[in-house]
Amino acid sequence: MPPKVQQKSKEQKMAAAMAGGKGKKKKWSKGKARDKVDNKVLMSKEQDERLHSEVPKMKLITVSTVVEKLKISGGVARRALRVLEEEGKIRAVLVSQSQRIYTRNIAEEEEEE
C-alpha cells in the first residue's frame, strides 16, 4: 500500500483556489505577415517584349501568372492579355465575371508552320 498523503485543510484549499486565477494571460499571435510586393503600374520596353515573347508560349495564362512573371499590377496584366487576345496570339478558354483563363493559340501556330 502506498503511504498516506496528508490532506490540506479547508483554509489551505481555499487559498490555493484563490491564487490559481493569477496566471499569465494567453498572448495572441499577430498572424503571418505577407511580404509587400511592389508591382509596376507602367510597363517598360523590356517587360513589353517579354509579354509578347514569353506569354503566348505558356499553356495556362491567367492574370495572376502574368503578374508573377512580369511583376506588373493586375490591371495592367488584364489589359495586356486583352491586347494579346485581339492580336490573336492567345485565345480565351474560360470567361467569367471574376476570372479569365487563356491558352496559347495552337491553330495559328500550325498555320505558320
Side-chain angles (χ1 to χ4, degrees):
M1 233 167 78
K4 267 192 162 180
V5 178
Q6 189 170 359
Q7 287 199 339
K8 297 180 182 176
S9 67
K10 282 187 178 179
E11 289 82 24
Q12 288 173 329
K13 285 181 184 177
M14 197 170 91
M18 296 295 284
K22 295 179 184 172
K24 288 192 174 183
K25 288 190 176 176
K26 183 178 186 291
K27 296 250 192 294
W28 290 93
S29 67
K30 299 280 191 279
K32 293 182 179 175
R34 283 189 64 222
D35 294 332
K36 182 84 173 102
V37 288
D38 187 30
N39 291 335
K40 307 286 183 272
V41 292
L42 294 173
M43 286 182 81
S44 65
K45 186 85 172 158
E46 178 223 300
Q47 285 172 323
D48 190 50
E49 289 168 2
R50 281 184 64 198
L51 174 81
H52 287 283
S53 64
E54 291 179 20
V55 173
K57 294 176 185 168
M58 294 164 56
K59 282 185 180 177
L60 175 73
I61 306 165
T62 61
V63 174
S64 56
T65 56
V66 174
V67 166
E68 285 291 313
K69 202 168 196 75
L70 300 178
K71 301 290 183 234
I72 56 177
S73 70
V76 175
R78 278 194 296 274
R79 289 195 179 172
L81 290 177
R82 218 173 294 140
V83 168
L84 285 176
E85 186 181 16
E86 288 169 4
E87 291 174 0
K89 293 188 175 181
I90 61 174
R91 66 181 173 90
V93 176
L94 174 102
V95 179
S96 71
Q97 187 176 354
S98 58
Q99 180 82 25
R100 294 175 75 93
I101 298 176
Y102 299 92
T103 189
R104 55 191 173 183
N105 203 346
I106 299 169
E108 183 185 291
E109 290 174 9
E110 290 173 359
E111 290 171 8
E112 289 176 7
E113 291 175 2

